[in-house]
Amino acid sequence: MGESMAKRHRKWVQLMEEAVQADGWGQVLEAVEAYEKAAGVILQDLVDMELSDEQQDIVEKIVVTMNLRTTCLSAIDGKSRPSKDDMVALVKVLENILRKTPRVFPLDLAEFETLNHDNENEPSPVKQRARPSDPAPTHLQSLDDNTTATTAGLEENDGDNPIYLTITIQKIGLKDVYRYSDPQIVVSVVDKDLVAVEEKQETPISTELDPPYVLFESEIALRTNLHAMRQNDSTIFFEFVHYKKDKRKKSVRCWTMLEMDEIKPKAGKTTTLALELYTKPCDMAKKNVHLFTVKPLYLHVTLHFESTQS
């Protein structure tokens, strides 16, 4: 570990300790300013730090938690999580972040997001994935007011008139867009038994950035029709991958998915969706799905429907 890296790390810990100290003394304004300063310095330094994926994930979660804590301190509606005790625990995590095996991040950020959204008058722009007991998944947001749940002329249950889906992958929102080399989206279709329905497809490598977005504007035409995918209860998975020069291989950074009951074909119209992002690895069994970020950053896609009889 280089001296420059160690110096930056010591500065991170010092700034966070100052914020937590002000928080503990009940100095709300000073604590908010200190957390914001610490988060800003860490994010600025993070690009030049040679951290493992695990270390970087933990640091980014600490920064997100700092931002959530400032929201709690500024709130007037009694929001209490993450608490100052949570922040004390995270100082210990940050202190040990440069170890080969860092401490496990001890908090569930998705839980805090749920608490915050439950206390807000306005609904969350993209709701969390429904639990198994819920009637339907709600992890996406439709951005097209003209698209409804009706099929309006596209009868996909008719095997003689199959409907095919083309997905335009527009962009993905990430707070650290500059650190990714050769970014791509990999698209997979997998049935309920976790068997691949068709071969994976990849977007071309993106060379355009519009922070906080990586731009793709690439079309992926699925080879399997909607009727067949519904019969197999298939799910479409999207993985954001980038090339890691030090390991000489592609690495998954985050992922998302689109389930069959979320696809509403309508004649002559498209559907634009914002899909929330989840932490790696891609969990096709959907048993251990966690939000990648609590910030409003998503994968933006547009669905196009085509009938063979059109």
Side-chain angles (χ1 to χ4, degrees), residues 163 209 229 266 275:
I163 306 302
L209 300 179
M229 287 193 286
K266 191 173 182 181
L275 307 178

Side-chain angles (χ1 to χ4, degrees), residues 166-177:
T166 296
I167 304 171
T168 299
I169 299 175
Q170 299 171 331
K171 59 186 179 181
I172 187 171
L174 300 162
K175 60 180 177 290
D176 51 355
V177 292

Side-chain angles (χ1 to χ4, degrees), residues 217-254:
E217 292 298 337
S218 299
E219 288 191 352
I220 298 291
L222 299 185
R223 305 179 181 95
T224 309
N225 65 65
L226 278 176
H227 178 62
M229 287 193 286
R230 290 198 195 283
Q231 283 188 317
N232 295 325
D233 192 18
S234 299
T235 301
I236 304 168
F237 292 92
F238 305 84
E239 297 172 273
F240 176 73
V241 302
H242 62 110
Y243 183 72
K244 303 198 73 170
K245 296 180 181 179
D246 56 336
K247 297 183 179 180
R248 297 183 180 180
K249 68 175 185 178
K250 292 181 179 180
S251 175
V252 176
R253 182 60 175 149
C254 56

Side-chain angles (χ1 to χ4, degrees), residues 114-129:
T114 301
L115 289 173
N116 289 343
H117 287 160
D118 287 345
N119 287 330
E120 291 173 355
N121 293 325
E122 295 297 325
S124 167
V126 177
K127 298 180 181 179
Q128 283 189 290
R129 164 160 295 282

Side-chain angles (χ1 to χ4, degrees), residues 78-91:
K79 294 176 185 175
S80 59
R81 296 293 304 276
S83 66
K84 61 183 178 182
D85 291 335
D86 292 328
M87 305 312 295
V88 170
L90 290 189
V91 171

Side-chain angles (χ1 to χ4, degrees), residues 6-24:
K7 184 177 180 180
R8 287 193 179 102
H9 175 246
R10 288 194 295 269
K11 184 66 173 178
W12 293 359
V13 175
Q14 176 190 344
L15 290 174
M16 188 171 183
E17 285 178 337
E18 291 173 356
V20 171
Q21 185 178 58
D23 195 351

Side-chain angles (χ1 to χ4, degrees), residues 194-234:
L194 306 185
V195 176
V197 174
E198 59 180 59
E199 291 185 3
K200 291 184 178 182
Q201 299 188 61
E202 298 179 350
T203 65
I205 292 172
S206 173
T207 58
E208 294 186 61
L209 300 179
D210 183 16
Y213 298 107
V214 179
L215 306 181
F216 290 99
E217 292 298 337
S218 299
E219 288 191 352
I220 298 291
L222 299 185
R223 305 179 181 95
T224 309
N225 65 65
L226 278 176
H227 178 62
M229 287 193 286
R230 290 198 195 283
Q231 283 188 317
N232 295 325
D233 192 18
S234 299

